[in-house]
Amino acid sequence: MESIKEFLNFSFEITDKIHLDVSNVLLIILVILITRMLLKLFIKLVNRRLSEDDKGKFKAIFTFLQYFVYIIVLIIALESSGIEVGVLLAGSAALLVGIGLGLQTLFQDIISGIFILLDKTLTVNDIVEVDEKVGKIIEIRLRTTRAVTIDDKVLIIPNHKFLTQSLFNWTQNGVQTTEGVAIGVAYGSNVELVRQILVDVAKNHPKILKMPEPRVLFMDFGDSALQFKLLFNINNSYTHLQIKSDLRFEIDKKFRENNISIPFPQRDVHIISAKE
């Protein structure tokens, strides 16, 4: 018994004013383990009453909040052990300031992640455009959001970008989006025939919606061409690049069959020699 008491009373000297006994260390470990068990029990009880969508949000937010719980429990345990936490913090104030500055962006990402989860700014399967990159959201975490780009690359986006920069959510109002393909034809072309070809090409594509019907806008009289824009609706904007490519191939083919030219810019250069 004496050896056990001596072991428990063995003291570690942290600073001149702060000492920590083995018994205090064991108490702190025990308190943290009990806190962990209670948090797990709390999660199970709450998850029973939540829907599948809300479970993911609760898990992400609770992951952040449980760190504060551990910090509070640790402070209480240290104070109960006779350690003045205020003195310890005052002695490491400069270090804490440096850590705070270094973690500024981290906390900004975490707070942004909480707002995203609560107000549903983003949801899984949304198609977004950030920094001129387009991707489909596959996972929303507390610090980062993961998206898959059109060329199957994983895009990891810090959450603060969604609150501090402009964000284009292509599917916020629904999965149906309006896309367009710009075309220029030579002056003198039959514009009615051009419109009919463009509409027919769009109608024949299997991934373009029948309603609303594809339509053609006469955009402008350009420097070298009559400018048109083919507008159409799809229900999966993630495939818009492939659909536009298919349309351009077919438009070029139909224009060749109907002798409609797609011009390119031309310039006349006059060279004037100076008299000696």
Side-chain angles (χ1 to χ4, degrees):
M1 291 294 293
E2 290 295 329
S3 59
I4 295 177
K5 288 182 179 180
E6 290 180 2
F7 174 73
L8 293 176
N9 292 328
F10 183 78
S11 178
F12 299 95
E13 184 176 337
I14 300 176
T15 65
D16 294 338
K17 297 182 179 180
I18 299 176
H19 300 271
L20 189 63
D21 297 337
V22 173
S23 59
N24 294 333
V25 175
L26 294 177
L27 176 63
I28 292 171
I29 294 175
L30 179 62
V31 169
I32 291 176
L33 291 176
I34 293 175
T35 302
R36 184 178 180 183
M37 293 175 59
L38 292 175
L39 289 175
K40 286 185 176 181
L41 179 61
F42 177 73
I43 292 174
K44 289 182 180 180
L45 293 175
V46 173
N47 280 337
R48 291 177 182 176
R49 301 184 179 183
L50 296 177
S51 62
E52 290 299 325
D53 293 337
D54 292 334
K55 284 181 181 179
K57 299 176 186 177
F58 173 74
K59 181 180 178 181
I61 296 174
F62 189 77
T63 301
F64 175 65
L65 295 179
Q66 70 178 353
Y67 292 117
F68 287 100
V69 174
Y70 281 125
I71 291 173
I72 293 172
V73 169
L74 181 60
I75 291 174
I76 294 174
L78 290 173
E79 289 284 353
S80 301
S81 301
I83 298 175
E84 296 182 6
V85 179
V87 175
L88 184 62
L89 293 178
S92 57
L95 177 62
L96 293 176
V97 170
I99 294 174
L101 293 174
L103 297 178
Q104 183 177 2
T105 303
L106 173 64
F107 282 108
Q108 189 178 10
D109 287 332
I110 292 174
I111 298 301
S112 300
I114 292 175
F115 282 126
I116 290 171
L117 291 169
L118 291 178
D119 64 10
K120 296 184 179 180
T121 305
L122 294 174
T123 57
V124 174
N125 293 325
D126 277 358
I127 299 175
V128 298
E129 181 179 349
V130 182
D131 293 338
E132 298 182 354
K133 296 181 179 67
V134 178
K136 179 186 288 185
I137 302 296
I138 58 174
E139 185 180 17
I140 301 175
R141 295 184 176 181
L142 199 60
R143 192 181 67 83
T144 60
T145 294
R146 296 173 181 266
V148 176
T149 61
I150 296 174
D151 51 356
D152 289 329
K153 295 179 181 178
V154 176
L155 183 64
I156 301 176
I157 310 166
N159 285 333
H160 76 269
K161 284 189 172 244
F162 295 115
L163 297 183
T164 58
Q165 298 182 12
S166 296
L167 165 69
F168 292 97
N169 192 327
W170 292 9
T171 52
Q172 183 73 53
N173 295 326
V175 296
Q176 182 174 314
T177 58
T178 301
E179 304 292 341
V181 173
I183 308 101
V185 300
Y187 275 90
S189 301
N190 186 337
V191 294
E192 290 298 330
L193 178 59
V194 170
R195 175 165 59 180
Q196 190 60 50
I197 290 174
L198 296 178
V199 170
D200 290 343
V201 168
K203 284 184 176 180
N204 291 331
H205 197 286
K207 293 185 178 180
I208 292 179
L209 301 178
K210 305 303 180 184
M211 293 298 297
E213 292 186 351
R215 57 270 188 206
V216 176
L217 299 180
F218 195 153
M219 300 299 294
D220 202 357
F221 295 94
D223 293 337
S224 305
L226 303 174
Q227 298 174 357
F228 295 85
K229 190 166 188 179
L230 171 62
L231 298 177
F232 54 90
N233 288 73
I234 59 177
N235 57 11
N236 184 4
S237 57
Y238 198 61
T239 61
H240 75 105
L241 290 181
Q242 183 60 53
I243 294 174
K244 290 178 181 179
S245 176
D246 295 341
L247 291 176
R248 292 187 182 104
F249 274 114
E250 190 64 20
I251 289 170
D252 181 70
K253 176 183 176 182
K254 293 297 182 182
F255 278 6
R256 291 177 185 274
E257 292 176 356
N258 290 273
N259 296 319
I260 297 175
S261 300
I262 300 177
F264 55 89
Q266 301 182 42
R267 297 290 183 270
D268 292 330
V269 179
H270 299 275
I271 300 176
I272 301 174
S273 59
K275 295 181 179 181
E276 296 181 0

